[in-house]
Amino acid sequence: MTPKTFAALFAAPFLLFASGAGAAGDPAARSGADAFAQLDYLLATPTDERLATGAPGPGYWQQRADYDITVTLDDEEQRIEGRETITYHNNSPHDLPYLWLQLDQNRFRRDSDDMLTKTAPDFAQLSYGALASLLERRRFEGGVSIEGVTDARGEPLPHTVNRTMMRIDLPAPLKAGESLRFSVAWSHNIIDATVVSARGGYEYFPKDGNYLYEIAQWYPRMAAYTDYAGWQHKQFLGRGEFTLELGDYDVAITVPADHVVAATGELQNADEVLTAEQRARFEAARSSDELVFVVTPEEAAANAREAAAGTRTWRFQAEDVRDFAFASSRKFIWDARRARSGERDVMAMSFYPNEAEPLWSQYSTAAIAHTIDVYSRYTFEYPYPVAISVNGPVGGMEYPMISFNKPRPYADGTYWDVRQKPGDKTWERSKYGLISVIIHEVGHNYFPMVVNSDERQWTWMDEGLNTFLQFLTEQAWEEGYPSRRGEPAKMTEYMASATQVPIMTNSESIHQFGNNAYGKPATALNILRESILGRELFDHAFREYARRWKFRRPTPADFFRTMEDASAMDLDWFWRGWFYGTGHVDVALGEVALYRVDSLDPEREKAWEQARAEAEEPSLSDQRNAAAERLLDRQPALKDFYNESDEYRVTPWDYAQYEKALDRLTERERALLDTAEHFYVVTFDNLGGLVTPLPLRISYEDGTVEELTVPAEIWRHNAEQVKKLFIRDREITAIEFDPYRSTADTNVANNAWPRKVVPSRFQLFKESEEPNPMRRNDEDAWSQPIR
């Protein structure tokens, strides 16, 4: 590095730091202003229901729906028939002339929007499973059959089905503050969830002829009516899940007599459905920190061998839940133990067939208890009495108090710890895959089952927040846990990709759903916690958000405002860039310039200039001309004063000018001329467009290292390029941006000064050829290796 001197710094200090970046009409200045513009116009105006602080206001309201349901599971036809009585409480200030209900099973009708809007698959890479799914959707008789809608007196109520929604027309508007009781009878077939990707369905086990059912989104459910959107009646296309009203449930589930049932809520009639020994084990598990089998593997195997005659009804009750799901099979092993959530005891329970062993008895219930412990520390105590994990055909899906999780070992009982499927970077049959999906799905009890966000509109509000907490919970499981999402470095490939939409995009319109709705928001929150707010501020603000909106329905504005309100940080630039934009972090560490104070002393300054000149390498031409004879060598008479003088010699005139300069300075100004500090100006270029803090590691000639973080606000005047001044009393030898991969920077090759070589490897492949038609006709030839 060639240092530079400056003499006018102290005579006119303003000049050094003045910048044209804020000048009117400067595009860079405009980009900085845009990046740090306030979000107010993008957020809903604060109201009496939702305050500018992000908290619920004195006028906040939300509806409520209580359910009394009886349902019968037909194990011969894979079908359910049910009847429900709904008590709907209109807590809004509005009169409602009609009500909307969700019929999510209508997604499986052949003429559903989900089916009609599916685009063609890539037949060049069509898997067996994908073809089987296409054919099953064409064959399956899906959809809900509504067999009657009646009022409290049994009189029919007019109703209209519009795809996945049903409107009930009321004889008179339901007035504000009043309640309405009505009933719906319905039935529908259950889909094969091993063939068609579904939120619920059945799995058939050909070896013993048994079925395992995971039943979800199975009954007509009240649509949400909110202050921010009115009726939430976006059609269900399979991806954007739901938002529902909280309420109490009383559910009677009739199943084959030897089935074991897991469900949302607490079992009310254990004495009718469990043996005395099983009831004793169940009670013992309530206070046990060790695993207890309520239904043992031996009992489950005996149940699976021979189906019992008749039916049995299991009764469950649940309070303050927004949905209800259940699972049923004669194959279920059932284990349980106590989990701790602050001062509360929770029953952690797992239900799984023998095919899930040995993974499930070792890890499932342990993962439930661990999740409740960690999530409770970052949010609030788990409010429900039970938490359940069920193994079956559904890959991973959450409902209040119960979740469906798919990973199993191989048939021989072996399994991977971590293995990626070729090409899609997902875990396959792995131990950590099982633990992670259970953490994720059980964690959904907090978001969105209790903090009741609207996933039909904003998927990230439950998936993204939950994935962030999943990362914290995984890292608390063991050192080096192989988390799939959360670390910023794992999101760089997506962040730099072209096919992106903002996180704030509606669920059904998202490209790269997993990266957008799960990975990117989780990464953003991790960066916000580790690199911007710090853990203490972030954890306080996040806990405040969770507690404010516990059993309430927040919007994105409520989250953004609460995080700022509780941390005293203006984060509009962060929400704008990460949630409303598609830019990425790519900061290039550019020129590093060194300045030293010009002392004005001619002896010191001319010696410095001479040393600099002598240190400069001669040019190639000068080197090759060094031995050549020149004209002045042949005619010395052409030489004059300038050929003989030493330009670095200090002359009397130089001394005189120095004395004159000193005479014009005050004593304080003279002292400044002896400043020994190094003034480094470092240029940072924002190539990715997303503004970010600048975490730096600076190395010095004496071997010491300094770490510091420059706040993102450094970009506020120019979001494309900034120059940062570092004043140091020693020489800098290296500067690194983002040394710990904390910003999701997409190109580490330009992060260091001097530049570092980024090592990589490449593989060699040997070409091979397929047998030609002549060889294929020769049985002996085609069976031999081709060389």
Side-chain angles (χ1 to χ4, degrees), residues 78-391:
Q78 287 68 60
R79 180 176 176 81
I80 62 172
E81 296 183 0
R83 181 178 180 84
E84 64 186 1
T85 297
I86 302 174
T87 303
Y88 185 69
H89 306 272
N90 182 13
N91 297 325
S92 79
H94 314 135
D95 296 345
L96 303 177
Y98 47 77
L99 307 178
W100 281 103
L101 280 73
Q102 296 183 185
L103 305 177
D104 286 5
Q105 287 295 317
N106 278 358
R107 173 202 168 198
F108 296 114
R109 289 174 56 95
R110 294 171 187 156
D111 61 351
S112 70
D113 287 354
D114 176 40
M115 283 294 289
L116 294 175
T117 59
K118 283 189 181 301
T119 55
D122 180 2
F123 281 95
Q125 297 182 348
L126 193 67
S127 68
Y128 287 92
L131 178 58
S133 179
L134 291 174
L135 297 176
E136 178 65 13
R137 284 296 300 267
R138 184 172 179 270
R139 180 205 66 81
F140 181 65
E141 293 285 351
V144 180
S145 174
I146 300 296
E147 292 155 11
V149 181
T150 56
D151 62 18
R153 299 188 306 272
E155 298 297 324
L157 285 172
H159 57 279
T160 301
V161 174
N162 176 21
R163 299 173 174 85
T164 59
M165 302 299 300
M166 180 172 73
R167 189 186 71 241
I168 299 178
D169 296 316
L170 305 178
L174 178 61
K175 294 188 176 300
E178 294 186 351
S179 299
L180 176 70
R181 190 177 176 86
F182 64 96
S183 298
V184 182
W186 83 97
S187 62
H188 66 76
N189 294 325
I190 304 170
I191 199 161
D192 184 348
T194 65
V195 178
V196 176
S197 177
R199 310 282 179 178
Y202 71 79
E203 176 180 7
Y204 178 65
F205 294 82
K207 282 188 177 181
D208 54 28
N210 287 304
Y211 289 84
L212 188 158
Y213 299 91
E214 292 178 322
I215 306 300
Q217 298 171 228
W218 54 282
Y219 59 98
R221 305 177 294 174
M222 289 301 309
Y225 182 76
T226 70
D227 63 288
Y228 61 81
W231 287 107
Q232 175 51 279
H233 43 38
K234 293 181 183 295
Q235 295 292 336
F236 182 47
L237 302 181
R239 177 175 284 175
E241 292 179 13
F242 48 79
T243 185
L244 298 166
E245 307 294 2
L246 293 166
D248 296 340
Y249 284 72
D250 194 325
V251 182
I253 306 169
T254 299
V255 297
D258 51 2
H259 270 219
V260 173
V261 177
T264 298
E266 290 187 286
L267 179 63
Q268 300 298 300
N269 62 333
D271 57 333
E272 297 177 10
V273 297
L274 300 179
T275 67
E277 189 174 1
Q278 289 168 343
R279 292 198 301 274
R281 297 175 197 149
F282 183 78
E283 290 304 317
R286 290 185 182 277
S287 57
S288 174
D289 294 326
E290 301 297 327
L291 200 68
V292 176
F293 284 104
V294 179
V295 175
T296 68
E298 294 75 21
E299 290 170 335
N303 282 347
R305 279 195 293 269
E306 187 173 347
T311 62
R312 185 173 288 162
T313 299
W314 296 59
R315 300 181 183 278
F316 295 87
Q317 287 183 355
E319 297 179 356
D320 285 329
V321 295
R322 73 175 202 166
D323 201 2
F324 190 101
F326 69 94
S328 181
S329 180
R330 61 176 53 89
K331 293 176 65 67
F332 277 148
I333 301 167
W334 175 2
D335 71 43
R337 54 159 285 196
R338 175 177 66 178
R340 298 288 294 171
S341 175
E343 299 301 316
R344 292 174 56 89
D345 284 347
V346 179
M347 278 287 277
M349 303 187 290
S350 297
F351 296 74
Y352 46 92
N354 273 289
E355 287 81 356
E357 287 288 70
L359 271 177
W360 272 68
S361 61
Q362 184 170 4
Y363 293 114
S364 178
T365 303
I368 296 172
H370 177 64
T371 302
I372 290 172
D373 172 48
V374 177
Y375 273 62
S376 296
R377 285 190 265 127
Y378 288 106
T379 57
F380 43 75
E381 288 191 4
Y382 185 79
Y384 297 128
V386 303
I388 299 170
S389 170
V390 180
N391 177 242

Side-chain angles (χ1 to χ4, degrees), residues 533-551:
L533 293 183
R535 291 188 175 187
E536 183 178 357
L537 280 178
F538 179 94
D539 291 350
H540 169 76
F542 191 83
R543 190 178 297 111
E544 179 68 16
Y545 166 73
R547 292 176 178 177
R548 281 180 178 182
W549 292 97
K550 179 181 178 182
F551 293 117

